[in-house]
Amino acid sequence: MLTQDQLKLAVAKKALEFVPEDAIIGVGTGSTVNLFIEELAGIKGRIKGAVSSSEASTARLKAHHIPVFDLNEVEKLPVYIDGADEINHHLHMIKGGGAALTREKIVAGVADEFICIADEQKYVAMLGAFPLPIEVIPMARSYVARELVRLGGHPELRQGVTTDNGNVILDVHGLQIMKPVELEETINHIAGVVTCGLFARRRADVLVLGKQSGVEVLR
Ligand code: 5RP
């Protein structure tokens, strides 16, 4: 029986197959991505560098002497490689467990292909068991929380966390997300919401899924 960490390592290794030669690639955030960065370090001569979705990943990439580019200097990212907290069969995701959702959504938006690396515990029929992270401008915290209650959720302020953009995170419990695209749109329209942790409008293109039986690639 493989542990979750072993499954994360398996998908991190497999993800190298999606790294194009001589390109700048998008790199996400989290423990699975940390393992991917270790693997990337082994082939760093094959890429030009990376655009990172968080200060934490930037520090790791730089520690391996992988050049990190400002997104504004880069016109094209062939791939963005990142983890997820949950992913459904349509490759819609919940992200933001590491509080990096806004930069993740921006970098993912630029990329031609989103390669999600995840272990099988995160592959679900319906999103919502993992509390949905929402990045919020601090002054709007209570208002946004009330609106989220109206949508049927139970928002909780993530204690002691300020995002890389200086905002707070509300984690919304108790949602059974049957229509991810619609819910993302609705939450995006609440004033004060910076980013909703639903990645449905920009879903993953490829899922590299770590299973007990081996790594599967789903599209
Ligand atoms: C960070 C994220 C991560 O991709 C997500 O939390 C998964 O992390 P991990 O690989 O540690 O399970 O969205 O904001």
Side-chain angles (χ1 to χ4, degrees), residues 167-216:
N167 298 312
V168 297
I169 299 279
L170 293 173
D171 289 308
V172 190
H173 297 251
L175 293 173
Q176 291 183 333
I177 304 173
M178 276 171 294
K179 294 185 172 171
V181 176
E182 287 83 345
L183 185 63
E184 180 179 5
E185 200 111 326
T186 302
I187 294 175
N188 280 342
H189 281 103
I190 303 171
V193 167
V194 177
T195 305
C196 166
L198 273 169
F199 283 56
R201 293 179 68 223
R202 204 288 173 251
R203 65 179 188 98
D205 300 292
V206 176
L207 169 59
V208 179
L209 183 65
K211 299 172 69 170
Q212 290 296 331
S213 51
V215 176
E216 254 182 54

mmCIF file of all heavy atoms in Angstrom, residues 167-216:
data_model
loop_
_atom_site.group_PDB
_atom_site.id
_atom_site.type_symbol
_atom_site.label_atom_id
_atom_site.label_comp_id
_atom_site.label_asym_id
_atom_site.label_seq_id
_atom_site.Cartn_x
_atom_site.Cartn_y
_atom_site.Cartn_z
ATOM 1 N N ASN A 167 -4.193 39.789 1.334
ATOM 2 C CA ASN A 167 -5.618 39.583 1.605
ATOM 3 C C ASN A 167 -5.844 38.424 2.586
ATOM 4 O O ASN A 167 -4.896 37.791 3.039
ATOM 5 C CB ASN A 167 -6.351 39.314 0.289
ATOM 6 C CG ASN A 167 -6.244 40.494 -0.647
ATOM 7 O OD1 ASN A 167 -6.471 41.632 -0.230
ATOM 8 N ND2 ASN A 167 -5.867 40.250 -1.881
ATOM 9 N N VAL A 168 -7.130 38.184 2.908
ATOM 10 C CA VAL A 168 -7.471 37.086 3.814
ATOM 11 C C VAL A 168 -8.150 35.965 3.023
ATOM 12 O O VAL A 168 -8.572 36.157 1.880
ATOM 13 C CB VAL A 168 -8.403 37.560 4.961
ATOM 14 C CG1 VAL A 168 -7.695 38.594 5.828
ATOM 15 C CG2 VAL A 168 -9.719 38.115 4.418
ATOM 16 N N ILE A 169 -8.256 34.796 3.673
ATOM 17 C CA ILE A 169 -8.915 33.653 3.044
ATOM 18 C C ILE A 169 -10.132 33.252 3.878
ATOM 19 O O ILE A 169 -10.028 33.097 5.110
ATOM 20 C CB ILE A 169 -7.966 32.426 2.976
ATOM 21 C CG1 ILE A 169 -6.705 32.701 2.156
ATOM 22 C CG2 ILE A 169 -8.717 31.190 2.439
ATOM 23 C CD1 ILE A 169 -6.860 32.601 0.662
ATOM 24 N N LEU A 170 -11.270 33.102 3.211
ATOM 25 C CA LEU A 170 -12.439 32.468 3.838
ATOM 26 C C LEU A 170 -12.522 31.053 3.285
ATOM 27 O O LEU A 170 -12.511 30.857 2.055
ATOM 28 C CB LEU A 170 -13.726 33.229 3.498
ATOM 29 C CG LEU A 170 -13.866 34.642 4.070
ATOM 30 C CD1 LEU A 170 -15.116 35.314 3.500
ATOM 31 C CD2 LEU A 170 -13.929 34.617 5.594
ATOM 32 N N ASP A 171 -12.589 30.058 4.174
ATOM 33 C CA ASP A 171 -12.778 28.668 3.748
ATOM 34 C C ASP A 171 -14.259 28.338 3.925
ATOM 35 O O ASP A 171 -14.790 28.417 5.044
ATOM 36 C CB ASP A 171 -11.911 27.736 4.603
ATOM 37 C CG ASP A 171 -10.434 27.882 4.294
ATOM 38 O OD1 ASP A 171 -10.060 27.798 3.116
ATOM 39 O OD2 ASP A 171 -9.644 28.091 5.245
ATOM 40 N N VAL A 172 -14.912 27.950 2.827
ATOM 41 C CA VAL A 172 -16.358 27.745 2.881
ATOM 42 C C VAL A 172 -16.667 26.248 2.989
ATOM 43 O O VAL A 172 -16.410 25.466 2.069
ATOM 44 C CB VAL A 172 -17.052 28.338 1.634
ATOM 45 C CG1 VAL A 172 -18.558 28.317 1.832
ATOM 46 C CG2 VAL A 172 -16.569 29.753 1.383
ATOM 47 N N HIS A 173 -17.216 25.880 4.144
ATOM 48 C CA HIS A 173 -17.583 24.490 4.404
ATOM 49 C C HIS A 173 -19.027 24.234 3.961
ATOM 50 O O HIS A 173 -19.824 25.164 3.844
ATOM 51 C CB HIS A 173 -17.482 24.209 5.914
ATOM 52 C CG HIS A 173 -16.092 24.366 6.458
ATOM 53 N ND1 HIS A 173 -15.311 23.316 6.859
ATOM 54 C CD2 HIS A 173 -15.338 25.477 6.652
ATOM 55 C CE1 HIS A 173 -14.145 23.762 7.286
ATOM 56 N NE2 HIS A 173 -14.136 25.070 7.168
ATOM 57 N N GLY A 174 -19.326 22.962 3.773
ATOM 58 C CA GLY A 174 -20.725 22.546 3.626
ATOM 59 C C GLY A 174 -21.326 22.762 2.247
ATOM 60 O O GLY A 174 -22.547 22.672 2.100
ATOM 61 N N LEU A 175 -20.500 23.014 1.239
ATOM 62 C CA LEU A 175 -21.061 23.195 -0.108
ATOM 63 C C LEU A 175 -21.041 21.864 -0.853
ATOM 64 O O LEU A 175 -20.049 21.137 -0.806
ATOM 65 C CB LEU A 175 -20.227 24.208 -0.898
ATOM 66 C CG LEU A 175 -20.245 25.655 -0.426
ATOM 67 C CD1 LEU A 175 -19.224 26.469 -1.209
ATOM 68 C CD2 LEU A 175 -21.635 26.261 -0.595
ATOM 69 N N GLN A 176 -22.140 21.564 -1.521
ATOM 70 C CA GLN A 176 -22.139 20.429 -2.443
ATOM 71 C C GLN A 176 -22.210 21.056 -3.824
ATOM 72 O O GLN A 176 -23.260 21.569 -4.221
ATOM 73 C CB GLN A 176 -23.337 19.529 -2.188
ATOM 74 C CG GLN A 176 -23.200 18.822 -0.847
ATOM 75 C CD GLN A 176 -24.340 17.855 -0.606
ATOM 76 O OE1 GLN A 176 -25.431 18.042 -1.125
ATOM 77 N NE2 GLN A 176 -24.076 16.835 0.177
ATOM 78 N N ILE A 177 -21.087 21.038 -4.507
ATOM 79 C CA ILE A 177 -20.972 21.877 -5.699
ATOM 80 C C ILE A 177 -21.387 21.079 -6.937
ATOM 81 O O ILE A 177 -20.595 20.359 -7.532
ATOM 82 C CB ILE A 177 -19.540 22.444 -5.814
ATOM 83 C CG1 ILE A 177 -19.200 23.192 -4.511
ATOM 84 C CG2 ILE A 177 -19.431 23.359 -7.032
ATOM 85 C CD1 ILE A 177 -17.778 23.670 -4.412
ATOM 86 N N MET A 178 -22.651 21.232 -7.294
ATOM 87 C CA MET A 178 -23.163 20.473 -8.432
ATOM 88 C C MET A 178 -22.925 21.192 -9.751
ATOM 89 O O MET A 178 -22.833 20.569 -10.791
ATOM 90 C CB MET A 178 -24.645 20.172 -8.231
ATOM 91 C CG MET A 178 -24.783 18.930 -7.373
ATOM 92 S SD MET A 178 -26.416 18.530 -6.814
ATOM 93 C CE MET A 178 -26.914 19.765 -5.734
ATOM 94 N N LYS A 179 -22.828 22.541 -9.678
ATOM 95 C CA LYS A 179 -22.602 23.321 -10.901
ATOM 96 C C LYS A 179 -21.385 24.226 -10.685
ATOM 97 O O LYS A 179 -21.534 25.429 -10.403
ATOM 98 C CB LYS A 179 -23.836 24.150 -11.227
ATOM 99 C CG LYS A 179 -25.031 23.291 -11.595
ATOM 100 C CD LYS A 179 -26.196 24.146 -12.022
ATOM 101 C CE LYS A 179 -27.310 23.270 -12.561
ATOM 102 N NZ LYS A 179 -28.540 24.033 -12.798
ATOM 103 N N PRO A 180 -20.179 23.676 -10.832
ATOM 104 C CA PRO A 180 -18.960 24.434 -10.501
ATOM 105 C C PRO A 180 -18.787 25.723 -11.324
ATOM 106 O O PRO A 180 -18.388 26.755 -10.771
ATOM 107 C CB PRO A 180 -17.824 23.455 -10.797
ATOM 108 C CG PRO A 180 -18.448 22.102 -10.764
ATOM 109 C CD PRO A 180 -19.869 22.289 -11.202
ATOM 110 N N VAL A 181 -19.103 25.651 -12.627
ATOM 111 C CA VAL A 181 -18.893 26.838 -13.471
ATOM 112 C C VAL A 181 -19.803 27.972 -13.005
ATOM 113 O O VAL A 181 -19.366 29.123 -12.831
ATOM 114 C CB VAL A 181 -19.150 26.498 -14.970
ATOM 115 C CG1 VAL A 181 -19.024 27.746 -15.836
ATOM 116 C CG2 VAL A 181 -18.189 25.420 -15.442
ATOM 117 N N GLU A 182 -21.065 27.640 -12.736
ATOM 118 C CA GLU A 182 -22.039 28.655 -12.319
ATOM 119 C C GLU A 182 -21.672 29.224 -10.946
ATOM 120 O O GLU A 182 -21.746 30.424 -10.722
ATOM 121 C CB GLU A 182 -23.450 28.056 -12.266
ATOM 122 C CG GLU A 182 -24.078 27.785 -13.617
ATOM 123 C CD GLU A 182 -23.663 26.452 -14.239
ATOM 124 O OE1 GLU A 182 -22.676 25.837 -13.770
ATOM 125 O OE2 GLU A 182 -24.304 26.036 -15.217
ATOM 126 N N LEU A 183 -21.284 28.342 -10.027
ATOM 127 C CA LEU A 183 -20.952 28.823 -8.675
ATOM 128 C C LEU A 183 -19.712 29.717 -8.702
ATOM 129 O O LEU A 183 -19.657 30.747 -8.023
ATOM 130 C CB LEU A 183 -20.735 27.643 -7.712
ATOM 131 C CG LEU A 183 -20.506 28.067 -6.263
ATOM 132 C CD1 LEU A 183 -21.721 28.797 -5.677
ATOM 133 C CD2 LEU A 183 -20.147 26.867 -5.367
ATOM 134 N N GLU A 184 -18.739 29.342 -9.518
ATOM 135 C CA GLU A 184 -17.533 30.182 -9.631
ATOM 136 C C GLU A 184 -17.929 31.579 -10.105
ATOM 137 O O GLU A 184 -17.488 32.587 -9.554
ATOM 138 C CB GLU A 184 -16.537 29.530 -10.602
ATOM 139 C CG GLU A 184 -15.260 30.346 -10.782
ATOM 140 C CD GLU A 184 -14.251 29.685 -11.726
ATOM 141 O OE1 GLU A 184 -14.551 28.637 -12.327
ATOM 142 O OE2 GLU A 184 -13.149 30.249 -11.850
ATOM 143 N N GLU A 185 -18.763 31.608 -11.105
ATOM 144 C CA GLU A 185 -19.218 32.884 -11.667
ATOM 145 C C GLU A 185 -19.953 33.710 -10.602
ATOM 146 O O GLU A 185 -19.705 34.906 -10.439
ATOM 147 C CB GLU A 185 -20.176 32.590 -12.830
ATOM 148 C CG GLU A 185 -20.346 33.733 -13.777
ATOM 149 C CD GLU A 185 -19.703 33.381 -15.129
ATOM 150 O OE1 GLU A 185 -18.690 32.686 -15.186
ATOM 151 O OE2 GLU A 185 -20.242 33.831 -16.116
ATOM 152 N N THR A 186 -20.855 33.068 -9.872
ATOM 153 C CA THR A 186 -21.643 33.764 -8.846
ATOM 154 C C THR A 186 -20.727 34.347 -7.760
ATOM 155 O O THR A 186 -20.865 35.512 -7.366
ATOM 156 C CB THR A 186 -22.637 32.775 -8.187
ATOM 157 O OG1 THR A 186 -23.468 32.246 -9.218
ATOM 158 C CG2 THR A 186 -23.502 33.445 -7.143
ATOM 159 N N ILE A 187 -19.797 33.539 -7.290
ATOM 160 C CA ILE A 187 -18.904 34.013 -6.208
ATOM 161 C C ILE A 187 -17.990 35.124 -6.725
ATOM 162 O O ILE A 187 -17.726 36.102 -6.019
ATOM 163 C CB ILE A 187 -18.106 32.832 -5.604
ATOM 164 C CG1 ILE A 187 -19.074 31.871 -4.890
ATOM 165 C CG2 ILE A 187 -17.030 33.324 -4.632
ATOM 166 C CD1 ILE A 187 -18.445 30.603 -4.340
ATOM 167 N N ASN A 188 -17.535 34.987 -7.962
ATOM 168 C CA ASN A 188 -16.674 36.032 -8.541
ATOM 169 C C ASN A 188 -17.367 37.390 -8.579
ATOM 170 O O ASN A 188 -16.695 38.426 -8.592
ATOM 171 C CB ASN A 188 -16.270 35.657 -9.975
ATOM 172 C CG ASN A 188 -15.130 34.667 -10.014
ATOM 173 O OD1 ASN A 188 -14.416 34.488 -9.030
ATOM 174 N ND2 ASN A 188 -14.956 34.008 -11.144
ATOM 175 N N HIS A 189 -18.698 37.391 -8.607
ATOM 176 C CA HIS A 189 -19.416 38.658 -8.721
ATOM 177 C C HIS A 189 -19.698 39.321 -7.375
ATOM 178 O O HIS A 189 -20.276 40.407 -7.330
ATOM 179 C CB HIS A 189 -20.724 38.465 -9.508
ATOM 180 C CG HIS A 189 -20.486 38.401 -10.981
ATOM 181 N ND1 HIS A 189 -20.494 37.223 -11.684
ATOM 182 C CD2 HIS A 189 -20.177 39.372 -11.869
ATOM 183 C CE1 HIS A 189 -20.219 37.472 -12.953
ATOM 184 N NE2 HIS A 189 -20.017 38.764 -13.091
ATOM 185 N N ILE A 190 -19.319 38.691 -6.268
ATOM 186 C CA ILE A 190 -19.510 39.343 -4.957
ATOM 187 C C ILE A 190 -18.395 40.381 -4.792
ATOM 188 O O ILE A 190 -17.209 40.048 -4.911
ATOM 189 C CB ILE A 190 -19.441 38.309 -3.806
ATOM 190 C CG1 ILE A 190 -20.481 37.197 -4.001
ATOM 191 C CG2 ILE A 190 -19.626 38.997 -2.459
ATOM 192 C CD1 ILE A 190 -20.333 36.027 -3.016
ATOM 193 N N ALA A 191 -18.772 41.627 -4.521
ATOM 194 C CA ALA A 191 -17.771 42.684 -4.373
ATOM 195 C C ALA A 191 -16.856 42.344 -3.201
ATOM 196 O O ALA A 191 -17.320 41.954 -2.121
ATOM 197 C CB ALA A 191 -18.468 44.022 -4.136
ATOM 198 N N GLY A 192 -15.571 42.474 -3.432
ATOM 199 C CA GLY A 192 -14.607 42.178 -2.365
ATOM 200 C C GLY A 192 -13.938 40.827 -2.528
ATOM 201 O O GLY A 192 -12.906 40.561 -1.909
ATOM 202 N N VAL A 193 -14.532 39.985 -3.377
ATOM 203 C CA VAL A 193 -13.888 38.693 -3.676
ATOM 204 C C VAL A 193 -12.775 38.948 -4.692
ATOM 205 O O VAL A 193 -13.001 39.545 -5.743
ATOM 206 C CB VAL A 193 -14.899 37.674 -4.244
ATOM 207 C CG1 VAL A 193 -14.192 36.462 -4.839
ATOM 208 C CG2 VAL A 193 -15.874 37.241 -3.155
ATOM 209 N N VAL A 194 -11.589 38.508 -4.349
ATOM 210 C CA VAL A 194 -10.476 38.621 -5.296
ATOM 211 C C VAL A 194 -10.471 37.382 -6.190
ATOM 212 O O VAL A 194 -10.412 37.498 -7.414
ATOM 213 C CB VAL A 194 -9.132 38.751 -4.545
ATOM 214 C CG1 VAL A 194 -7.959 38.791 -5.521
ATOM 215 C CG2 VAL A 194 -9.140 39.992 -3.661
ATOM 216 N N THR A 195 -10.531 36.220 -5.576
ATOM 217 C CA THR A 195 -10.508 34.976 -6.341
ATOM 218 C C THR A 195 -11.272 33.891 -5.605
ATOM 219 O O THR A 195 -11.150 33.746 -4.389
ATOM 220 C CB THR A 195 -9.044 34.481 -6.530
ATOM 221 O OG1 THR A 195 -8.279 35.518 -7.114
ATOM 222 C CG2 THR A 195 -8.983 33.258 -7.432
ATOM 223 N N CYS A 196 -12.022 33.142 -6.379
ATOM 224 C CA CYS A 196 -12.728 31.970 -5.852
ATOM 225 C C CYS A 196 -11.853 30.743 -6.169
ATOM 226 O O CYS A 196 -11.329 30.623 -7.276
ATOM 227 C CB CYS A 196 -14.077 31.895 -6.570
ATOM 228 S SG CYS A 196 -14.911 30.336 -6.353
ATOM 229 N N GLY A 197 -11.723 29.855 -5.206
ATOM 230 C CA GLY A 197 -10.864 28.677 -5.383
ATOM 231 C C GLY A 197 -11.408 27.610 -6.305
ATOM 232 O O GLY A 197 -10.795 26.553 -6.460
ATOM 233 N N LEU A 198 -12.559 27.882 -6.929
ATOM 234 C CA LEU A 198 -13.038 26.969 -7.972
ATOM 235 C C LEU A 198 -12.297 27.269 -9.271
ATOM 236 O O LEU A 198 -12.282 28.417 -9.736
ATOM 237 C CB LEU A 198 -14.535 27.160 -8.198
ATOM 238 C CG LEU A 198 -15.457 26.359 -7.298
ATOM 239 C CD1 LEU A 198 -16.899 26.848 -7.461
ATOM 240 C CD2 LEU A 198 -15.366 24.870 -7.624
ATOM 241 N N PHE A 199 -11.703 26.246 -9.848
ATOM 242 C CA PHE A 199 -11.056 26.378 -11.147
ATOM 243 C C PHE A 199 -11.892 25.533 -12.116
ATOM 244 O O PHE A 199 -11.572 24.385 -12.413
ATOM 245 C CB PHE A 199 -9.614 25.861 -11.104
ATOM 246 C CG PHE A 199 -8.636 26.791 -10.444
ATOM 247 C CD1 PHE A 199 -8.837 27.253 -9.150
ATOM 248 C CD2 PHE A 199 -7.485 27.203 -11.113
ATOM 249 C CE1 PHE A 199 -7.925 28.120 -8.542
ATOM 250 C CE2 PHE A 199 -6.575 28.055 -10.521
ATOM 251 C CZ PHE A 199 -6.792 28.511 -9.235
ATOM 252 N N ALA A 200 -13.019 26.128 -12.538
ATOM 253 C CA ALA A 200 -13.939 25.408 -13.411
ATOM 254 C C ALA A 200 -13.972 26.050 -14.799
ATOM 255 O O ALA A 200 -13.944 25.357 -15.808
ATOM 256 C CB ALA A 200 -15.330 25.380 -12.792
ATOM 257 N N ARG A 201 -14.022 27.391 -14.817
ATOM 258 C CA ARG A 201 -13.978 28.066 -16.123
ATOM 259 C C ARG A 201 -12.637 27.781 -16.787
ATOM 260 O O ARG A 201 -12.554 27.607 -17.982
ATOM 261 C CB ARG A 201 -14.188 29.572 -15.957
ATOM 262 C CG ARG A 201 -15.607 29.889 -15.470
ATOM 263 C CD ARG A 201 -15.801 31.374 -15.287
ATOM 264 N NE ARG A 201 -15.778 32.073 -16.543
ATOM 265 C CZ ARG A 201 -15.138 33.221 -16.735
ATOM 266 N NH1 ARG A 201 -14.477 33.793 -15.756
ATOM 267 N NH2 ARG A 201 -15.163 33.792 -17.907
ATOM 268 N N ARG A 202 -11.577 27.785 -15.992
ATOM 269 C CA ARG A 202 -10.274 27.357 -16.506
ATOM 270 C C ARG A 202 -9.936 26.061 -15.741
ATOM 271 O O ARG A 202 -9.290 26.071 -14.690
ATOM 272 C CB ARG A 202 -9.208 28.433 -16.236
ATOM 273 C CG ARG A 202 -8.002 28.409 -17.168
ATOM 274 C CD ARG A 202 -7.064 27.253 -16.916
ATOM 275 N NE ARG A 202 -6.034 27.217 -17.960
ATOM 276 C CZ ARG A 202 -5.995 26.272 -18.912
ATOM 277 N NH1 ARG A 202 -6.895 25.304 -18.935
ATOM 278 N NH2 ARG A 202 -5.020 26.286 -19.817
ATOM 279 N N ARG A 203 -10.421 24.958 -16.301
ATOM 280 C CA ARG A 203 -10.215 23.661 -15.663
ATOM 281 C C ARG A 203 -8.857 23.116 -16.083
ATOM 282 O O ARG A 203 -8.173 23.707 -16.924
ATOM 283 C CB ARG A 203 -11.344 22.710 -16.076
ATOM 284 C CG ARG A 203 -11.323 22.394 -17.550
ATOM 285 C CD ARG A 203 -12.425 21.443 -17.972
ATOM 286 N NE ARG A 203 -12.221 21.055 -19.357
ATOM 287 C CZ ARG A 203 -11.649 19.932 -19.751
ATOM 288 N NH1 ARG A 203 -11.249 19.052 -18.877
ATOM 289 N NH2 ARG A 203 -11.484 19.667 -21.024
ATOM 290 N N ALA A 204 -8.496 21.964 -15.543
ATOM 291 C CA ALA A 204 -7.256 21.315 -15.992
ATOM 292 C C ALA A 204 -7.501 20.703 -17.371
ATOM 293 O O ALA A 204 -8.621 20.305 -17.707
ATOM 294 C CB ALA A 204 -6.843 20.240 -15.002
ATOM 295 N N ASP A 205 -6.440 20.628 -18.162
ATOM 296 C CA ASP A 205 -6.524 19.961 -19.468
ATOM 297 C C ASP A 205 -6.105 18.504 -19.349
ATOM 298 O O ASP A 205 -6.573 17.659 -20.103
ATOM 299 C CB ASP A 205 -5.612 20.676 -20.473
ATOM 300 C CG ASP A 205 -6.029 22.122 -20.643
ATOM 301 O OD1 ASP A 205 -7.112 22.359 -21.191
ATOM 302 O OD2 ASP A 205 -5.287 23.016 -20.165
ATOM 303 N N VAL A 206 -5.201 18.263 -18.409
ATOM 304 C CA VAL A 206 -4.663 16.918 -18.205
ATOM 305 C C VAL A 206 -4.599 16.673 -16.703
ATOM 306 O O VAL A 206 -4.198 17.560 -15.940
ATOM 307 C CB VAL A 206 -3.226 16.811 -18.797
ATOM 308 C CG1 VAL A 206 -2.612 15.444 -18.498
ATOM 309 C CG2 VAL A 206 -3.226 17.089 -20.287
ATOM 310 N N LEU A 207 -5.003 15.466 -16.291
ATOM 311 C CA LEU A 207 -4.832 15.069 -14.894
ATOM 312 C C LEU A 207 -3.840 13.909 -14.836
ATOM 313 O O LEU A 207 -4.072 12.850 -15.439
ATOM 314 C CB LEU A 207 -6.179 14.639 -14.291
ATOM 315 C CG LEU A 207 -6.113 13.957 -12.925
ATOM 316 C CD1 LEU A 207 -5.459 14.860 -11.870
ATOM 317 C CD2 LEU A 207 -7.507 13.530 -12.457
ATOM 318 N N VAL A 208 -2.760 14.131 -14.118
ATOM 319 C CA VAL A 208 -1.801 13.058 -13.854
ATOM 320 C C VAL A 208 -2.154 12.546 -12.457
ATOM 321 O O VAL A 208 -1.936 13.224 -11.457
ATOM 322 C CB VAL A 208 -0.346 13.592 -13.924
ATOM 323 C CG1 VAL A 208 0.641 12.470 -13.624
ATOM 324 C CG2 VAL A 208 -0.063 14.200 -15.295
ATOM 325 N N LEU A 209 -2.779 11.371 -12.441
ATOM 326 C CA LEU A 209 -3.411 10.883 -11.215
ATOM 327 C C LEU A 209 -2.615 9.713 -10.622
ATOM 328 O O LEU A 209 -2.419 8.683 -11.286
ATOM 329 C CB LEU A 209 -4.838 10.434 -11.552
ATOM 330 C CG LEU A 209 -5.704 9.965 -10.395
ATOM 331 C CD1 LEU A 209 -5.978 11.099 -9.413
ATOM 332 C CD2 LEU A 209 -7.028 9.398 -10.910
ATOM 333 N N GLY A 210 -2.211 9.896 -9.387
ATOM 334 C CA GLY A 210 -1.453 8.844 -8.702
ATOM 335 C C GLY A 210 -2.395 7.870 -8.015
ATOM 336 O O GLY A 210 -3.125 8.245 -7.094
ATOM 337 N N LYS A 211 -2.387 6.612 -8.485
ATOM 338 C CA LYS A 211 -3.267 5.584 -7.911
ATOM 339 C C LYS A 211 -2.419 4.436 -7.375
ATOM 340 O O LYS A 211 -1.260 4.266 -7.788
ATOM 341 C CB LYS A 211 -4.209 5.050 -9.002
ATOM 342 C CG LYS A 211 -5.109 6.118 -9.591
ATOM 343 C CD LYS A 211 -5.881 5.627 -10.789
ATOM 344 C CE LYS A 211 -6.915 4.602 -10.396
ATOM 345 N NZ LYS A 211 -7.820 4.295 -11.516
ATOM 346 N N GLN A 212 -3.042 3.628 -6.526
ATOM 347 C CA GLN A 212 -2.337 2.459 -6.000
ATOM 348 C C GLN A 212 -1.882 1.554 -7.152
ATOM 349 O O GLN A 212 -0.836 0.922 -7.086
ATOM 350 C CB GLN A 212 -3.243 1.674 -5.046
ATOM 351 C CG GLN A 212 -3.525 2.381 -3.737
ATOM 352 C CD GLN A 212 -2.270 2.590 -2.889
ATOM 353 O OE1 GLN A 212 -1.323 1.824 -2.953
ATOM 354 N NE2 GLN A 212 -2.264 3.650 -2.089
ATOM 355 N N SER A 213 -2.679 1.533 -8.213
ATOM 356 C CA SER A 213 -2.364 0.647 -9.343
ATOM 357 C C SER A 213 -1.362 1.269 -10.323
ATOM 358 O O SER A 213 -0.989 0.633 -11.306
ATOM 359 C CB SER A 213 -3.664 0.325 -10.079
ATOM 360 O OG SER A 213 -4.357 1.524 -10.368
ATOM 361 N N GLY A 214 -0.957 2.518 -10.098
ATOM 362 C CA GLY A 214 -0.009 3.181 -10.993
ATOM 363 C C GLY A 214 -0.465 4.593 -11.317
ATOM 364 O O GLY A 214 -1.511 5.043 -10.844
ATOM 365 N N VAL A 215 0.317 5.284 -12.137
ATOM 366 C CA VAL A 215 -0.047 6.658 -12.510
ATOM 367 C C VAL A 215 -0.864 6.623 -13.803
ATOM 368 O O VAL A 215 -0.449 5.994 -14.779
ATOM 369 C CB VAL A 215 1.223 7.527 -12.695
ATOM 370 C CG1 VAL A 215 0.841 8.925 -13.175
ATOM 371 C CG2 VAL A 215 2.005 7.615 -11.392
ATOM 372 N N GLU A 216 -2.014 7.295 -13.766
ATOM 373 C CA GLU A 216 -2.875 7.362 -14.957
ATOM 374 C C GLU A 216 -2.873 8.783 -15.488
ATOM 375 O O GLU A 216 -2.859 9.730 -14.700
ATOM 376 C CB GLU A 216 -4.318 7.025 -14.574
ATOM 377 C CG GLU A 216 -4.772 5.657 -15.020
ATOM 378 C CD GLU A 216 -6.217 5.402 -14.652
ATOM 379 O OE1 GLU A 216 -7.083 6.227 -15.019
ATOM 380 O OE2 GLU A 216 -6.468 4.384 -13.985
#
